[in-house]
Amino acid sequence: MARKSNSSTRKRKSNDDDETEDHKEDAPRKSPVKAQKSTNDDSNVASSSSSDSILDLSSQIVAAFHSRSNSFLACQVDGGAVEKRLWPYFVRCVVERQGEKKPLEHAALAVAVLTNWDRADSGKGERLSFVVENYDNEDLSDVTHSTRTEAFALLLKGMLPYLHKTSQDSANYNDVVNTKTQIIQFLIHSYSSMELRCKNSNAPRVTVIDGPLIDLAGLRLWSSVPFRKRYLELKRDGLLRKRYGLFEARQAQKKEEQDVAFLPAVVKAVLEAVLDGGWEKQNDMDTVSHQNGASAEYANNKLFISKSLELIIDLLSYPQTRPHVAPYLASHQFAVLLGLSKLYHDKSFVLFRQQVDMIIDSERMEVVASATAATSNEEMQNLPHDDIASRTIYQRAHTLQKLLHRHHLRETSEVIFAGVGRLTDPNWLREKIALWTEDTLYDVCYRSRLMDDNDETSLGTSEELAQRLGCKRRELLTSILLYNQSSRKSDAVLLASAPLYPIETLLWDPHSVPPGYHYGSSTSSSTIPESLSLPKLNARFLSAGDYLLRNFRLFRLESAYEIRGDLVDVVKRMMPSVMADGYTNDSNYYGRGNNDSANKDRDLFAKTKFQGWARMGLELKSNKEEKQGLRLIRVDPPKLGERVPANVIAEVVLDLYHCATSLIEEWDALGEFDNLFLVSVDASKMSGAPAPMMLDKDQRIPDEEDFTFPQRYGIQAVRGCMVLEVRDEAGVVLSDPALAYEEGGRPEPKGKRRYLRVALDPAQYAADAAGHGSPLGIDVYDTFNLVVRRHGRENNFKAVLETIRGLMKGGAMSMYRSIPSWLMPVLLGYGGDPSAANYSSPKMISFSSKTAGVNSPTAALDYGDTFIDDVHLRDSFVGCDVTVDGLAVTDAVPMNGTNQGRMKYRVKVIDQGPGKVKVEAETYPFPALYDGNPIRFTPVQVSAIRSGLSPGLTTIIGPPGTGKTDVAVQIIANLYHSFPTQRTVIVTHSNAALNDIFDKVMLRGDVDERYMLRLGSGERNLQSTSSSSHDFTKTGRVAHILSRRGELLEKVQQLSESLGVSSPAERGVNGAPSYTCETAEYFYFHHVKKRIESFEATMRIANADAKPDNVIDAFPFQKYFHMDKRASLPANDANQKVKEVDALFKELSEYRPIELLRSQRQRTDYLLIKQARIVAMTCTHAAIARAQLVELGFHYDNIIMEEAGQMLDVETFIPLLLQRGESDDSASSHSRLKRVCLIGDHNQLPPVVKNVSFSKYSHYDQSLFARLIRLGVPSIELNKQGRARADIAKLYSWRYDDLGDLEHVTNQDIFKKANTGLAHTYQIINVEDFEGRGESTPTAHFYQNLGEAEYAVALFQYMVLIGYPTEKISILTTYNGQKELLLDILSQRCGPGTPLAGRTPGAVSTVDQYQGQQNDYVILSLVRTKAVGHVRDVRRLVVAVSRARLGFYVLCRQAVFGNCHELRHTMDQFAVRPTKLQLVKDEHFPTNRLVGEAIPKDSLHEVDTVNDLGALVHSMQQEYVMSA
């Protein structure tokens, strides 16, 4: 804050307190009298956007902001004020060249306020989408991207003067601070939206806002760096010196100063607020529930400081701004000053301390980031990660020693001759500095360019700064010198010492693991979300270490959030209470009778008793006669070079005596590597208080989000552990997987007690032992009295974290050996050219020419059966000169479902200059034993297949229904046939999608099943619809091979007997073959091969004279093939039968290792690393199994990822690292990976992140696929959909570039016929309040709408009663609460005893859960009646409206959703149809009525209300019962 003030601040009362919505949603859209009328009509934009009207609107918005008129602001946001009026104003200023003449400040602030309006459901980057979108605005239809860039720079110019405004008047002081906070928040949004690109036809896909933003925090900052420091840095970096010289020249040419110093103003304001704010006088305001009566002035300043620090942390994380921001902050000792401030040492301000620590950590990472950015990929591979940091530290230490030797030899001799390790030890160096005089200390800082009291750019002299900090000048100078000389631990060391399991302090830390609903609330304004001490995922990263470290922390925190919810659920169900003298003191359970002095003596004998029970939790009991619940067994010493114990092993005793049989079986199912949580609950310390109330709500905070829960329920400690083995009372190891394969299966456990050998977290144990964890030290492990287990899939977090930590431990060299050099810069975003990994780039052309197993783009590519016929091939290369076998393609009649005469194709594309491309195709025979590809791919799909077969990175955008799975299957099959020695890995997000792809690959029939393998828990759910009856798990593959081996050995036995080599008497038990794979090989070489060679020699002699028509006499295997000597055997048939014999022994030779290997694990590992050529797994299993795969020596050449848009960034990254990089005679930088194909749709829902704060604040829901698209990596967008009717597809096709329909969408009868009994193929149905109410929330965030639920069920009943198949109908909704309500009503309307008993929809689901699925008819309930809710996220809207093929009916409050600006493209199409359901009488499924056919008025029935539809359904049910 700018000055101290004792005056009381004015508390403004909100004008719409009664209308405030919850954290996730917008405020109700009820505009006040002064609000502009919201309309979807854009025709009046130009006429209503004069300068005066814009300034008037801006003034209203700014006034509403200061008076907190949230309803007015909400109305402007929904009406699109920014997109329709304010942003076009800045564009016109640029076009008319009047930016210097027109007032900008109010309009710019209005843009910031509306853009910052908290829309927790908006997607990342969408807040600034108005810069690149046209929004049907005539003013923006022909605007170039350069004009948009200038307009955005003008917008920033109008905002920045607010950062320099100050006010000593307490009346408007809060307004000034809040305005600054708004500008800071807008800049945060802007920098996070960098890489935003134009997509319209008038502008190429180039970035728009990056230039002005980078310029704002770029070279201009060097003008604010002290002269001596700037001179030194520019002298070291010649390129930077040249660029800065050009910048100064441009500045000198300007007639008047136009540039506003942005970051220096922010830094100065922050330091003034921190150093001069008098924070020691304030109460704790750094909590989730703010105290009543807290000073608004201090709360506003606190928010300003936290947002400013958030912006600075962001600037340090962007590669574009960090090279300038970090030196500027270091030159002014910003982090040191914050660290010495009283605010930093005040434990009540946790967030500030955490943010300062993040700045310190980020600044010290500069040595790694700068070196990484300055070196090439090849240099990075040869330079270990830690050496980069060490090199800079050594340079600093040597520079200091040289300086001291030259100027202060006698006084500092110990430091001069000390080793570098000593100089980087802050404790040792502090002792030595204490011996120096203060003048010497200042002189060293001055000569080191760390402090200059005479520089005009400094923030003050050292004496002045020390006085403001409240410390001595020596302490300040010492801290500055120590900070400069100290080193940051490497990322690998940081992760090695980081515990993998969350503990109680982390689980209930509101800033590290915030509540899921919390993001968006703030201390002073509903438009500004609170800052959090969380890392963020950006589009670009500083290094591979920076990327992994951020993902590690966020993955761990997201896991902690989910774990917290599970622990809270178990502890509540267990109902802890105090048991004293053998009796339960119930009053303590409810928080009463625990304060009198008499209880102190009784508490000495008190024990915690659990009165309830939980399926996922179990009490740990201990007494003198039995082993205690947890017992430490051993602590292994640290490994060489590490500081934490190698292993910490303990034993947990579970007593299942009181458990039901089903519950015992669940606990007995615990196996190796399962994770458990140990909880210490002390009921005597339970407060018993209820959960706090939610802000501006009449509901209490849910227990899983309540940070006082540990105090309320007495939770003292939480620790995690991993199961190593489970034994019963007889000592039998129940967790041994080999027991399942023994005869008789797994034995029945003995007794009711289980002994679990568990591995505790070594890093956490070391922290506890050192006193940094629990205050009890290692004694905390004696206090655990509750063990909690979790479900399998959600309990895999530790394996993923260990994988990331293992990657960091290996360093950059390990990752670069696994990921090719042409791919890593593109993935991390620090490569200059985003198209460098595309197959047509010069880099990839060079790579393909030097790498075996890779086709050059100029060479012929084997497309296999991609093309149905010659015409299909010609049509797939539009505008090209196409020849097949040297002949031009004629318009022959396309093939109709038969493979007779079908051929396979090798195609060569020859670029003959601009606009001239020649395609030469060669054919080769099509096998007659399988059907092959039946799909006539579109030209864009063929382009995607071509890219997938070529080396490099392929990104395929697949809008709904465009056949992206079919494209993936064709790429897989073509790679299988074209490159027999290569292995392809298939990865998806869900088991269902993986099974779908795997099943389609098998259905083709041309991929030998013995080369296919499915990994992961979902492998058992793979239901093959092919003729194969074998499963594709590892054990299933072994069983199949052993069975197949037996079949082949039987054929060998028969062949041997037919040749007289052996007799039936030599067979084994029960007539089993006497041969093994080994003896069969001997038999082949000694008997079969000789006969084949003799036959071939005879054929050569016969062919020399004349080709014989019958070779039956010379054929050696007549008896084996049961041939009559009098029969005729042509030479070609004889050769074919010889090949069959050869193939028999060749296949047996592949099974010989399986015969030699005896253990099941050895056999499955052999299949994985030697035989399988197509390996499928989910991204989760890839993370879990990576260490094992690398250890086994697993290798692969190609990887195809489906659902890439639904995978977390790191979940896509890890599957690229499933192999240890080794040289394979290629130029791929020791990486065998040749092709990476990512398939997804970033316009649909992103990865699922349960905590909103992580997704919205940290951008953790960002997928690598979406990030690459955002970076401008070349992509192929499929442009023909074949799922839905053309009119239904138009509801979402606007979101894509030129998405059209396949021919069958208009030609097939199913799309021509109307929907039976329904007048429209799609319709929005307005549902008013039912029984006086619309939406409701029985519990917090559990939204329901009874009227819509009843309407949806009644419509379903109506459709079923007129003959619709129930499995063809799905009911979807946007909220889980509504889903539960729908299921409840369905159980009543269609349950036992009803006319429609057992007739349920094909699916009742939420939109999010239904992504990737479809149905013919969909009924959608949008639930909300007060606000739009999270369907405002256009990605969720796209998913919702693209699930239906033939009929789509939306139930909602039309006035709410129809006026939402973001949804206008879809809602405008709904608006042209009636908002009341229109039915067609007397129709029964299926109808012969055509779409668009006129319906007689007397056949139409319009439904007014849900009661009318209910009455109609009731009468129809009565008729149905009578007819039955």
Side-chain angles (χ1 to χ4, degrees), residues 1287-1314:
D1287 56 349
I1288 294 179
K1290 287 181 181 179
L1291 295 173
Y1292 57 86
S1293 62
W1294 59 268
R1295 187 65 176 172
Y1296 300 92
D1297 295 335
D1298 193 29
L1299 179 61
D1301 305 313
L1302 292 173
E1303 291 182 2
H1304 73 263
V1305 172
T1306 55
N1307 295 339
Q1308 289 184 0
D1309 288 342
I1310 191 174
F1311 294 103
K1312 292 181 179 180
K1313 296 292 181 64

mmCIF file of all heavy atoms in Angstrom, residues 1287-1314:
data_model
loop_
_atom_site.group_PDB
_atom_site.id
_atom_site.type_symbol
_atom_site.label_atom_id
_atom_site.label_comp_id
_atom_site.label_asym_id
_atom_site.label_seq_id
_atom_site.Cartn_x
_atom_site.Cartn_y
_atom_site.Cartn_z
ATOM 1 N N ASP A 1287 -28.821 -31.257 -40.401
ATOM 2 C CA ASP A 1287 -29.282 -30.117 -39.612
ATOM 3 C C ASP A 1287 -28.819 -30.200 -38.162
ATOM 4 O O ASP A 1287 -28.533 -29.179 -37.530
ATOM 5 C CB ASP A 1287 -30.801 -29.983 -39.687
ATOM 6 C CG ASP A 1287 -31.520 -31.256 -39.253
ATOM 7 O OD1 ASP A 1287 -30.851 -32.292 -39.092
ATOM 8 O OD2 ASP A 1287 -32.759 -31.216 -39.072
ATOM 9 N N ILE A 1288 -28.720 -31.405 -37.619
ATOM 10 C CA ILE A 1288 -28.189 -31.558 -36.259
ATOM 11 C C ILE A 1288 -26.698 -31.235 -36.243
ATOM 12 O O ILE A 1288 -26.192 -30.600 -35.305
ATOM 13 C CB ILE A 1288 -28.458 -32.978 -35.725
ATOM 14 C CG1 ILE A 1288 -29.967 -33.197 -35.541
ATOM 15 C CG2 ILE A 1288 -27.729 -33.215 -34.409
ATOM 16 C CD1 ILE A 1288 -30.339 -34.573 -35.046
ATOM 17 N N ALA A 1289 -25.984 -31.651 -37.284
ATOM 18 C CA ALA A 1289 -24.544 -31.385 -37.345
ATOM 19 C C ALA A 1289 -24.252 -29.891 -37.402
ATOM 20 O O ALA A 1289 -23.205 -29.435 -36.927
ATOM 21 C CB ALA A 1289 -23.932 -32.092 -38.549
ATOM 22 N N LYS A 1290 -25.173 -29.106 -37.964
ATOM 23 C CA LYS A 1290 -24.944 -27.669 -38.038
ATOM 24 C C LYS A 1290 -24.943 -27.021 -36.652
ATOM 25 O O LYS A 1290 -24.442 -25.910 -36.496
ATOM 26 C CB LYS A 1290 -26.022 -27.024 -38.908
ATOM 27 C CG LYS A 1290 -25.864 -27.313 -40.396
ATOM 28 C CD LYS A 1290 -26.944 -26.619 -41.199
ATOM 29 C CE LYS A 1290 -26.794 -26.935 -42.692
ATOM 30 N NZ LYS A 1290 -27.871 -26.287 -43.494
ATOM 31 N N LEU A 1291 -25.485 -27.702 -35.658
ATOM 32 C CA LEU A 1291 -25.488 -27.147 -34.307
ATOM 33 C C LEU A 1291 -24.082 -27.006 -33.741
ATOM 34 O O LEU A 1291 -23.856 -26.195 -32.831
ATOM 35 C CB LEU A 1291 -26.331 -28.032 -33.379
ATOM 36 C CG LEU A 1291 -27.829 -28.119 -33.684
ATOM 37 C CD1 LEU A 1291 -28.491 -29.153 -32.784
ATOM 38 C CD2 LEU A 1291 -28.491 -26.761 -33.530
ATOM 39 N N TYR A 1292 -23.143 -27.790 -34.262
ATOM 40 C CA TYR A 1292 -21.767 -27.706 -33.769
ATOM 41 C C TYR A 1292 -20.742 -27.519 -34.875
ATOM 42 O O TYR A 1292 -19.564 -27.286 -34.594
ATOM 43 C CB TYR A 1292 -21.407 -28.957 -32.956
ATOM 44 C CG TYR A 1292 -21.571 -30.266 -33.689
ATOM 45 C CD1 TYR A 1292 -20.550 -30.778 -34.480
ATOM 46 C CD2 TYR A 1292 -22.739 -31.012 -33.575
ATOM 47 C CE1 TYR A 1292 -20.696 -31.992 -35.144
ATOM 48 C CE2 TYR A 1292 -22.899 -32.217 -34.235
ATOM 49 C CZ TYR A 1292 -21.872 -32.703 -35.008
ATOM 50 O OH TYR A 1292 -22.024 -33.900 -35.669
ATOM 51 N N SER A 1293 -21.133 -27.612 -36.132
ATOM 52 C CA SER A 1293 -20.152 -27.512 -37.224
ATOM 53 C C SER A 1293 -19.527 -26.128 -37.297
ATOM 54 O O SER A 1293 -18.427 -25.979 -37.849
ATOM 55 C CB SER A 1293 -20.810 -27.868 -38.553
ATOM 56 O OG SER A 1293 -21.861 -26.966 -38.853
ATOM 57 N N TRP A 1294 -20.192 -25.093 -36.763
ATOM 58 C CA TRP A 1294 -19.623 -23.742 -36.777
ATOM 59 C C TRP A 1294 -18.316 -23.653 -35.996
ATOM 60 O O TRP A 1294 -17.514 -22.731 -36.207
ATOM 61 C CB TRP A 1294 -20.625 -22.744 -36.193
ATOM 62 C CG TRP A 1294 -21.038 -23.067 -34.778
ATOM 63 C CD1 TRP A 1294 -22.094 -23.818 -34.397
ATOM 64 C CD2 TRP A 1294 -20.386 -22.649 -33.567
ATOM 65 N NE1 TRP A 1294 -22.163 -23.914 -33.030
ATOM 66 C CE2 TRP A 1294 -21.114 -23.197 -32.497
ATOM 67 C CE3 TRP A 1294 -19.270 -21.878 -33.295
ATOM 68 C CZ2 TRP A 1294 -20.761 -22.988 -31.171
ATOM 69 C CZ3 TRP A 1294 -18.902 -21.676 -31.978
ATOM 70 C CH2 TRP A 1294 -19.648 -22.218 -30.932
ATOM 71 N N ARG A 1295 -18.108 -24.605 -35.099
ATOM 72 C CA ARG A 1295 -16.904 -24.592 -34.268
ATOM 73 C C ARG A 1295 -15.674 -25.080 -35.037
ATOM 74 O O ARG A 1295 -14.545 -24.901 -34.582
ATOM 75 C CB ARG A 1295 -17.147 -25.485 -33.044
ATOM 76 C CG ARG A 1295 -16.060 -25.446 -31.992
ATOM 77 C CD ARG A 1295 -15.946 -24.088 -31.337
ATOM 78 N NE ARG A 1295 -14.968 -24.082 -30.261
ATOM 79 C CZ ARG A 1295 -14.562 -23.010 -29.619
ATOM 80 N NH1 ARG A 1295 -15.067 -21.840 -29.929
ATOM 81 N NH2 ARG A 1295 -13.668 -23.086 -28.653
ATOM 82 N N TYR A 1296 -15.884 -25.664 -36.195
ATOM 83 C CA TYR A 1296 -14.785 -26.258 -36.960
ATOM 84 C C TYR A 1296 -14.631 -25.552 -38.301
ATOM 85 O O TYR A 1296 -15.527 -24.831 -38.754
ATOM 86 C CB TYR A 1296 -15.042 -27.751 -37.177
ATOM 87 C CG TYR A 1296 -15.171 -28.524 -35.895
ATOM 88 C CD1 TYR A 1296 -16.416 -28.727 -35.298
ATOM 89 C CD2 TYR A 1296 -14.052 -29.037 -35.259
ATOM 90 C CE1 TYR A 1296 -16.540 -29.420 -34.118
ATOM 91 C CE2 TYR A 1296 -14.166 -29.741 -34.070
ATOM 92 C CZ TYR A 1296 -15.411 -29.924 -33.499
ATOM 93 O OH TYR A 1296 -15.521 -30.609 -32.322
ATOM 94 N N ASP A 1297 -13.494 -25.793 -38.931
ATOM 95 C CA ASP A 1297 -13.220 -25.213 -40.241
ATOM 96 C C ASP A 1297 -13.859 -26.063 -41.326
ATOM 97 O O ASP A 1297 -13.388 -27.173 -41.617
ATOM 98 C CB ASP A 1297 -11.706 -25.124 -40.478
ATOM 99 C CG ASP A 1297 -11.039 -24.166 -39.505
ATOM 100 O OD1 ASP A 1297 -11.725 -23.268 -39.011
ATOM 101 O OD2 ASP A 1297 -9.827 -24.333 -39.248
ATOM 102 N N ASP A 1298 -14.913 -25.575 -41.927
ATOM 103 C CA ASP A 1298 -15.499 -26.202 -43.115
ATOM 104 C C ASP A 1298 -15.884 -27.659 -42.879
ATOM 105 O O ASP A 1298 -15.539 -28.547 -43.661
ATOM 106 C CB ASP A 1298 -14.508 -26.091 -44.288
ATOM 107 C CG ASP A 1298 -15.162 -26.417 -45.618
ATOM 108 O OD1 ASP A 1298 -16.377 -26.182 -45.736
ATOM 109 O OD2 ASP A 1298 -14.466 -26.919 -46.519
ATOM 110 N N LEU A 1299 -16.607 -27.929 -41.810
ATOM 111 C CA LEU A 1299 -17.072 -29.285 -41.537
ATOM 112 C C LEU A 1299 -18.344 -29.551 -42.342
ATOM 113 O O LEU A 1299 -19.351 -28.872 -42.181
ATOM 114 C CB LEU A 1299 -17.346 -29.473 -40.042
ATOM 115 C CG LEU A 1299 -17.878 -30.852 -39.612
ATOM 116 C CD1 LEU A 1299 -16.865 -31.936 -39.953
ATOM 117 C CD2 LEU A 1299 -18.190 -30.864 -38.117
ATOM 118 N N GLY A 1300 -18.275 -30.549 -43.217
ATOM 119 C CA GLY A 1300 -19.415 -30.915 -44.051
ATOM 120 C C GLY A 1300 -19.925 -32.298 -43.729
ATOM 121 O O GLY A 1300 -19.591 -32.890 -42.693
ATOM 122 N N ASP A 1301 -20.739 -32.846 -44.619
ATOM 123 C CA ASP A 1301 -21.380 -34.143 -44.404
ATOM 124 C C ASP A 1301 -20.954 -35.130 -45.477
ATOM 125 O O ASP A 1301 -20.727 -34.763 -46.636
ATOM 126 C CB ASP A 1301 -22.909 -33.995 -44.438
ATOM 127 C CG ASP A 1301 -23.418 -32.961 -43.451
ATOM 128 O OD1 ASP A 1301 -22.983 -33.006 -42.291
ATOM 129 O OD2 ASP A 1301 -24.234 -32.103 -43.850
ATOM 130 N N LEU A 1302 -20.866 -36.388 -45.100
ATOM 131 C CA LEU A 1302 -20.640 -37.453 -46.068
ATOM 132 C C LEU A 1302 -21.929 -37.701 -46.865
ATOM 133 O O LEU A 1302 -23.028 -37.347 -46.430
ATOM 134 C CB LEU A 1302 -20.204 -38.729 -45.347
ATOM 135 C CG LEU A 1302 -18.815 -38.679 -44.688
ATOM 136 C CD1 LEU A 1302 -18.588 -39.944 -43.859
ATOM 137 C CD2 LEU A 1302 -17.706 -38.526 -45.728
ATOM 138 N N GLU A 1303 -21.790 -38.337 -48.004
ATOM 139 C CA GLU A 1303 -22.926 -38.522 -48.894
ATOM 140 C C GLU A 1303 -24.046 -39.327 -48.250
ATOM 141 O O GLU A 1303 -25.227 -39.032 -48.457
ATOM 142 C CB GLU A 1303 -22.474 -39.205 -50.189
ATOM 143 C CG GLU A 1303 -21.591 -38.339 -51.070
ATOM 144 C CD GLU A 1303 -21.228 -39.052 -52.363
ATOM 145 O OE1 GLU A 1303 -21.706 -40.185 -52.555
ATOM 146 O OE2 GLU A 1303 -20.461 -38.480 -53.158
ATOM 147 N N HIS A 1304 -23.679 -40.322 -47.448
ATOM 148 C CA HIS A 1304 -24.728 -41.184 -46.902
ATOM 149 C C HIS A 1304 -25.633 -40.446 -45.916
ATOM 150 O O HIS A 1304 -26.740 -40.887 -45.626
ATOM 151 C CB HIS A 1304 -24.107 -42.419 -46.236
ATOM 152 C CG HIS A 1304 -23.422 -42.138 -44.931
ATOM 153 N ND1 HIS A 1304 -22.072 -41.940 -44.825
ATOM 154 C CD2 HIS A 1304 -23.907 -42.016 -43.668
ATOM 155 C CE1 HIS A 1304 -21.746 -41.719 -43.567
ATOM 156 N NE2 HIS A 1304 -22.845 -41.765 -42.841
ATOM 157 N N VAL A 1305 -25.166 -39.309 -45.389
ATOM 158 C CA VAL A 1305 -25.996 -38.546 -44.465
ATOM 159 C C VAL A 1305 -27.244 -38.016 -45.159
ATOM 160 O O VAL A 1305 -28.302 -37.848 -44.530
ATOM 161 C CB VAL A 1305 -25.172 -37.388 -43.847
ATOM 162 C CG1 VAL A 1305 -26.057 -36.460 -43.036
ATOM 163 C CG2 VAL A 1305 -24.061 -37.944 -42.967
ATOM 164 N N THR A 1306 -27.154 -37.767 -46.434
ATOM 165 C CA THR A 1306 -28.313 -37.276 -47.179
ATOM 166 C C THR A 1306 -28.963 -38.359 -48.030
ATOM 167 O O THR A 1306 -30.130 -38.214 -48.418
ATOM 168 C CB THR A 1306 -27.898 -36.107 -48.091
ATOM 169 O OG1 THR A 1306 -26.811 -36.534 -48.942
ATOM 170 C CG2 THR A 1306 -27.459 -34.916 -47.261
ATOM 171 N N ASN A 1307 -28.244 -39.448 -48.310
ATOM 172 C CA ASN A 1307 -28.766 -40.461 -49.226
ATOM 173 C C ASN A 1307 -29.461 -41.618 -48.527
ATOM 174 O O ASN A 1307 -30.409 -42.198 -49.072
ATOM 175 C CB ASN A 1307 -27.635 -41.005 -50.103
ATOM 176 C CG ASN A 1307 -27.067 -39.927 -51.023
ATOM 177 O OD1 ASN A 1307 -27.729 -38.934 -51.289
ATOM 178 N ND2 ASN A 1307 -25.855 -40.135 -51.508
ATOM 179 N N GLN A 1308 -29.014 -41.981 -47.350
ATOM 180 C CA GLN A 1308 -29.569 -43.156 -46.699
ATOM 181 C C GLN A 1308 -30.975 -42.873 -46.164
ATOM 182 O O GLN A 1308 -31.281 -41.765 -45.709
ATOM 183 C CB GLN A 1308 -28.653 -43.622 -45.564
ATOM 184 C CG GLN A 1308 -27.351 -44.232 -46.029
ATOM 185 C CD GLN A 1308 -26.530 -44.764 -44.869
ATOM 186 O OE1 GLN A 1308 -26.933 -44.681 -43.703
ATOM 187 N NE2 GLN A 1308 -25.367 -45.334 -45.185
ATOM 188 N N ASP A 1309 -31.813 -43.904 -46.206
ATOM 189 C CA ASP A 1309 -33.201 -43.764 -45.781
ATOM 190 C C ASP A 1309 -33.328 -43.342 -44.329
ATOM 191 O O ASP A 1309 -34.232 -42.583 -43.960
ATOM 192 C CB ASP A 1309 -33.955 -45.077 -46.003
ATOM 193 C CG ASP A 1309 -34.220 -45.337 -47.480
ATOM 194 O OD1 ASP A 1309 -34.127 -44.378 -48.271
ATOM 195 O OD2 ASP A 1309 -34.498 -46.506 -47.824
ATOM 196 N N ILE A 1310 -32.424 -43.837 -43.495
ATOM 197 C CA ILE A 1310 -32.536 -43.553 -42.072
ATOM 198 C C ILE A 1310 -32.426 -42.059 -41.790
ATOM 199 O O ILE A 1310 -33.008 -41.532 -40.837
ATOM 200 C CB ILE A 1310 -31.468 -44.348 -41.272
ATOM 201 C CG1 ILE A 1310 -31.764 -44.264 -39.776
ATOM 202 C CG2 ILE A 1310 -30.073 -43.825 -41.579
ATOM 203 C CD1 ILE A 1310 -30.860 -45.136 -38.945
ATOM 204 N N PHE A 1311 -31.683 -41.330 -42.644
ATOM 205 C CA PHE A 1311 -31.551 -39.887 -42.466
ATOM 206 C C PHE A 1311 -32.657 -39.126 -43.205
ATOM 207 O O PHE A 1311 -32.939 -37.978 -42.876
ATOM 208 C CB PHE A 1311 -30.181 -39.414 -42.949
ATOM 209 C CG PHE A 1311 -29.034 -39.937 -42.132
ATOM 210 C CD1 PHE A 1311 -28.242 -40.980 -42.591
ATOM 211 C CD2 PHE A 1311 -28.761 -39.406 -40.890
ATOM 212 C CE1 PHE A 1311 -27.188 -41.467 -41.842
ATOM 213 C CE2 PHE A 1311 -27.705 -39.883 -40.125
ATOM 214 C CZ PHE A 1311 -26.923 -40.926 -40.604
ATOM 215 N N LYS A 1312 -33.259 -39.758 -44.199
ATOM 216 C CA LYS A 1312 -34.350 -39.111 -44.918
ATOM 217 C C LYS A 1312 -35.650 -39.151 -44.135
ATOM 218 O O LYS A 1312 -36.475 -38.240 -44.226
ATOM 219 C CB LYS A 1312 -34.553 -39.788 -46.277
ATOM 220 C CG LYS A 1312 -33.412 -39.576 -47.269
ATOM 221 C CD LYS A 1312 -33.729 -40.275 -48.576
ATOM 222 C CE LYS A 1312 -32.631 -40.066 -49.602
ATOM 223 N NZ LYS A 1312 -32.925 -40.740 -50.885
ATOM 224 N N LYS A 1313 -35.857 -40.228 -43.368
ATOM 225 C CA LYS A 1313 -37.118 -40.395 -42.640
ATOM 226 C C LYS A 1313 -37.172 -39.460 -41.431
ATOM 227 O O LYS A 1313 -36.171 -39.216 -40.747
ATOM 228 C CB LYS A 1313 -37.266 -41.843 -42.165
ATOM 229 C CG LYS A 1313 -37.375 -42.856 -43.297
ATOM 230 C CD LYS A 1313 -38.682 -42.700 -44.052
ATOM 231 C CE LYS A 1313 -38.802 -43.743 -45.167
ATOM 232 N NZ LYS A 1313 -38.862 -45.108 -44.646
ATOM 233 N N ALA A 1314 -38.371 -38.941 -41.174
ATOM 234 C CA ALA A 1314 -38.581 -38.094 -40.009
ATOM 235 C C ALA A 1314 -38.600 -38.936 -38.737
ATOM 236 O O ALA A 1314 -38.667 -40.166 -38.788
ATOM 237 C CB ALA A 1314 -39.887 -37.318 -40.162
#
